[in-house]
Amino acid sequence: LGFPSVRCLVSLWSAFKTRLRSCWESNIVIAGVDVPDQNDDPIDFRYSILNQKLQLLNYCLKKKADNEEEEDLKIGGKEISKVSLGRNRKTAMCLVSSEEPIYEPILQDQPVLTEDEIEEQEKIFIDNSPSIRHLMHTNALQSDMQAFKAANPGALLEDFVRWYSPNDWILDNVTHTWTLSKRMQTPNNLWRSTWENSNPIPSSKQKLLFNYVTEGEKILNYFDNLPVNQLLQEMITTTLISIYHVFKEQWGSNLEFLGPIFDEYITIISCGLTSSNLMDNADQICDSLTSLETAFSKILSLHQKIGPQERLISSLVTSKDDVVVDKKEKGAIRQVFKQMQEVSEVSEVEADAQEFIVRCWARRPYSFSKKVPHRLYSVITASE
C-alpha cells in the first residue's frame, strides 16, 4: 500500500481520525466524499464500509448544519403555527369525511444505515420475538401516521393510504367507488392496528427516528476503535476490487483473451473477501494477481507487435499446448520477425557512450537519518 512500515500507517490513521473529529466539531464537510442531494440516497453501497461511514458522517454534518440554520431562523423561540401543526403544503386531495383539504405533513428523517448496520438489524430481526419484530417494522410507519393525524385533524386511515400508498386506494368495479385494497382490509391488518394506536403528534415533538448527533458520534467512535488489522483488511479489499474494475472498465475489450486467468482472479478474491481473515488467502491472491498482470502485459505487447489477431493472441497467452496458426496469422508472425531483423541491423551501429544507473536505499546524510531512495547516474563516452 506504499507504507514503509505499520508505524507510518498508524500515524497517518491517527492524524486522519483527529481531522474527522475536527470536521465534526466545526461543521466542516469531509473533502473527497460525496454530499448527497436532498432526493438522493445518502449511502452508496457500491463503496467500502469505510467510505459508507464517511458518507453517513457527511450526511449527519449536513443535517446538523440545517438544524442550526433552522434554530437561527426562529424568532423569540416561537414557531409559526403552520410548523407547530407539522404541515408542509396543501395537496389537491380532500378528506373522505369532509371537504377539508389534505395537508402534506412534515415527516421525520428515516434512519440511514450502512451495510454492516443493515446486516446487524437483520440478525436482530431474525433472533428476536414477534413482538420485537413488529415494533421494529412499525416504528417509522407509526411516526408518519402520527404526523399525518396532527396535520389533518379528523383524518381516517383511508385518507392516509390515499396519500402514503396510492396503489392501495383502488376503484371497485362493482360499486364504482374508491376503496382500500384487499391487503388493507384483511383482519388484524398491520396498518389499521398501527393507525388506531397512533396519536396526533407533530414530527417535531416525536421521539427521533434518526438522531444525527448520536449517529455522528457513533461513526467517530467506530473509527477510534477500529483495529489496525481490520483497517488493513478493508484497505486491501478495496484495492483488490479496484484492480478488478480497472481491468474491466479500461481494458474490457481485452478481458476475453485472459479467459481462465481472469476467472481465477475473480474466484480467489471472492473467497478472500468472504473469509474472516483476508491474510489467510494472501499468497493465493498475490499469485493470481501476478499471473493476471503478466498475462495482460503479454496481450498488450502482442497486440502492438502482430496487430488485431485475437485468436492467435488468446492462444499464445492462455494455451499451454502448441499453437497452430492459419495462413493469415503466419503472415503476421513473419512480419514481426522481419521487423526484428531490421531493428537488429540498425542496432549494430557502435554506441558512442555507456550509461550506468545505480539505485539503493541508504541513511543519508547521517547514520540515524531515515532510509530514503537514492539514485547514482553516470555517462561514460568513448573518449573517456
Side-chain angles (χ1 to χ4, degrees), residues 16 20 23 28-35 53-54 57-58 61:
F16 174 74
L20 283 186
C23 288
I28 300 173
V29 172
I30 302 164
V33 180
D34 294 336
V35 181
K53 296 289 185 184
L54 293 176
L57 187 59
N58 257 0
L61 278 166

Side-chain angles (χ1 to χ4, degrees), residues 165-367:
S165 181
N167 290 335
D168 286 304
W169 184 247
I170 59 175
L171 181 64
D172 191 318
N173 294 326
V174 178
T175 61
H176 301 289
T177 57
W178 290 90
T179 184
L180 293 174
S181 63
K182 288 184 178 179
R183 82 180 185 106
M184 288 294 175
Q185 297 184 39
T186 55
N188 301 320
N189 179 269
L190 177 66
W191 283 51
R192 184 167 294 281
S193 61
T194 305
W195 176 264
E196 291 171 355
N197 294 322
S198 298
N199 297 317
I201 306 173
S203 59
S204 59
K205 297 181 180 179
Q206 296 176 13
K207 180 182 177 181
L208 291 176
L209 294 174
F210 179 79
N211 190 323
Y212 55 85
V213 176
T214 303
E215 293 300 322
E217 291 292 342
K218 278 173 60 178
I219 295 168
L220 294 175
N221 289 334
Y222 171 86
F223 284 117
D224 284 339
N225 298 314
L226 186 66
V228 175
N229 62 334
Q230 188 178 338
L231 170 63
L232 282 170
Q233 179 150 329
E234 289 288 348
M235 295 175 69
I236 293 171
T237 298
T238 303
T239 303
L240 293 173
I241 295 174
S242 297
I243 291 170
Y244 165 78
H245 285 292
V246 166
F247 275 103
K248 186 175 181 180
E249 293 174 11
Q250 296 190 13
W251 298 301
S253 58
N254 294 321
L255 288 182
E256 58 187 84
F257 305 140
L258 296 175
I261 299 174
F262 191 70
D263 294 338
E264 180 188 11
Y265 176 73
I266 295 172
T267 303
I268 289 175
I269 66 168
S270 297
C271 293
L273 298 183
T274 55
S275 171
S276 58
N277 187 1
L278 186 65
M279 295 301 103
D280 294 341
N281 304 83
D283 291 338
Q284 275 188 305
I285 292 172
C286 290
D287 291 342
S288 177
L289 184 57
T290 300
S291 301
L292 183 64
E293 189 175 12
T294 302
F296 192 76
S297 299
K298 290 178 181 178
I299 288 173
L300 294 180
S301 177
L302 290 169
H303 250 296
Q304 187 176 10
K305 290 180 173 65
I306 64 178
Q309 301 288 339
E310 284 79 5
R311 194 208 67 82
L312 177 59
I313 291 174
S314 179
S315 299
L316 289 171
V317 172
T318 61
S319 177
K320 296 181 181 179
D321 302 324
D322 295 335
V323 179
V324 180
V325 294
D326 59 24
K327 187 174 181 181
K328 184 180 178 181
E329 292 171 347
K330 285 181 180 179
I333 294 175
R334 193 178 295 113
Q335 185 66 24
V336 171
F337 281 105
K338 183 179 178 182
Q339 291 173 354
M340 290 173 62
Q341 185 176 4
E342 291 173 355
V343 171
S344 176
E345 290 172 357
V346 172
S347 63
E348 288 177 2
V349 178
E350 208 171 301
D352 58 358
Q354 289 181 305
E355 183 180 83
F356 296 90
I357 300 175
V358 179
R359 292 185 175 89
C360 69
W361 286 74
R363 301 182 186 274
R364 289 290 183 273
Y366 308 107
S367 59

Side-chain angles (χ1 to χ4, degrees), residues 12 92 105 111 137 142 161 179 217 242 260 277 342 378 381 383:
L12 178 62
H137 187 72
Q142 185 170 37
V161 169
T179 184
E217 291 292 342
S242 297
N277 187 1
E342 291 173 355
S378 67
T381 61
S383 58

Side-chain angles (χ1 to χ4, degrees), residues 370-383:
K370 182 180 178 180
K371 272 190 176 183
V372 294
H374 293 268
R375 177 176 177 271
L376 301 177
Y377 171 81
S378 67
V379 175
I380 302 174
T381 61
S383 58

